[in-house]
Amino acid sequence: MKTGIYPGSFDPVTNGHMDIIERSCKLVDKLIVAVLINPNKDAGLFSIEERIEMLKESTKHLLNVEIDSFSGLLVDYAHYKNASIVVRGLRAIMDLEREMQMAQINKNIAAEVETVFLVTRAKYSFLSSSAVRELALFNGAFDDLVPAYVSAKLKSKLE
Ligand code: COA
């Protein structure tokens, strides 16, 4: 069984992430979308539990997708989950340098784990979770950028 991991902060999950999840889950038997508990990033808008809940709701139509969280090294988590593939999305050339560095570090410490890059659909190439948070904070339109459940959560969070 081929298991893939799509790791990230997902604060919150956007339609850009959904695009990567929906496409990459067809390439593996099981896709684990893993929320990083990251001590290097500030607390963010949503708690880890809220991010997991939003991901679960937004992916419930995808039968081979599991939602989880992890801390520590990604490759250690991959070993723990018997996963051999890490999925990452590339939005634009600006992502490439950082993504290549992470993939090379991971390859250096765990040669058996492969990083696979999917190019994000052009209509989401500008999108990020922080852009969505900012739009929500300053009354900009974000309904088209996130799943409906996330949109409702954002509205109630910021009320
Ligand atoms: N659509 C929309 N937004 C996207 C996107 C897409 N397809 N792909 C990335 N993004 C955005 C995210 O929304 C996020 O935006 P934000 O900064 O505004 O919140 C930003 O790009 C960063 O992406 P994310 O995937 O959340 O990366 P990250 O830097 O938070 O986490 C990990 C990357 C989890 C892969 C990495 O930190 C990791 O592996 N950490 C574990 C420690 C480790 O193993 N280190 C060794 C390797 S370096």
Side-chain angles (χ1 to χ4, degrees):
M1 182 162 110
K2 207 158 262 319
T3 300
I5 296 178
Y6 179 37
S9 304
F10 304 108
D11 185 27
V13 58
T14 69
N15 285 343
H17 296 126
M18 288 303 300
D19 172 46
I20 300 293
I21 294 170
E22 283 169 351
R23 287 159 55 202
S24 60
C25 76
K26 294 182 189 143
L27 306 176
V28 291
D29 299 303
K30 180 164 85 171
L31 181 74
I32 303 170
V33 181
V35 181
L36 174 67
I37 304 167
N38 190 348
N40 294 324
K41 268 196 172 179
D42 59 28
L45 180 62
F46 291 102
S47 68
I48 299 294
E49 292 70 26
E50 288 173 314
R51 297 179 206 183
I52 288 174
E53 192 216 348
M54 287 185 281
L55 276 163
K56 281 189 174 160
E57 278 296 325
S58 308
T59 59
K60 61 184 179 195
H61 59 296
L62 302 169
L63 299 183
N64 66 336
V65 173
E66 182 183 306
I67 311 299
D68 195 14
S69 63
F70 77 106
S71 55
L73 290 181
L74 176 61
V75 292
D76 288 342
Y77 177 69
H79 288 147
Y80 170 64
K81 287 288 183 179
N82 274 325
S84 53
I85 292 174
V86 169
V87 175
R88 296 289 292 163
L90 289 178
R91 289 167 298 173
I93 199 76
M94 64 177 181
D95 284 342
L96 190 62
E97 202 175 333
R98 187 164 168 275
E99 291 298 335
M100 276 186 69
Q101 187 195 24
M102 285 198 292
Q104 284 164 344
I105 291 172
N106 288 338
K107 194 76 190 159
N108 204 38
I109 51 181
E112 64 290 352
V113 177
E114 291 294 350
T115 302
V116 172
F117 296 111
L118 294 192
V119 174
T120 308
R121 267 177 225 275
K123 65 177 176 177
Y124 300 131
S125 61
F126 62 92
L127 189 52
S128 69
S129 298
S130 52
V132 167
R133 293 195 303 270
E134 217 162 280
L135 286 168
L137 201 58
F138 298 115
N139 293 317
F142 56 84
D143 280 342
D144 291 348
L145 305 179
V146 292
Y149 186 81
V150 175
S151 180
K153 280 272 164 191
L154 268 165
K155 283 170 192 160
S156 66
K157 183 91 171 172
L158 295 167
E159 251 166 31

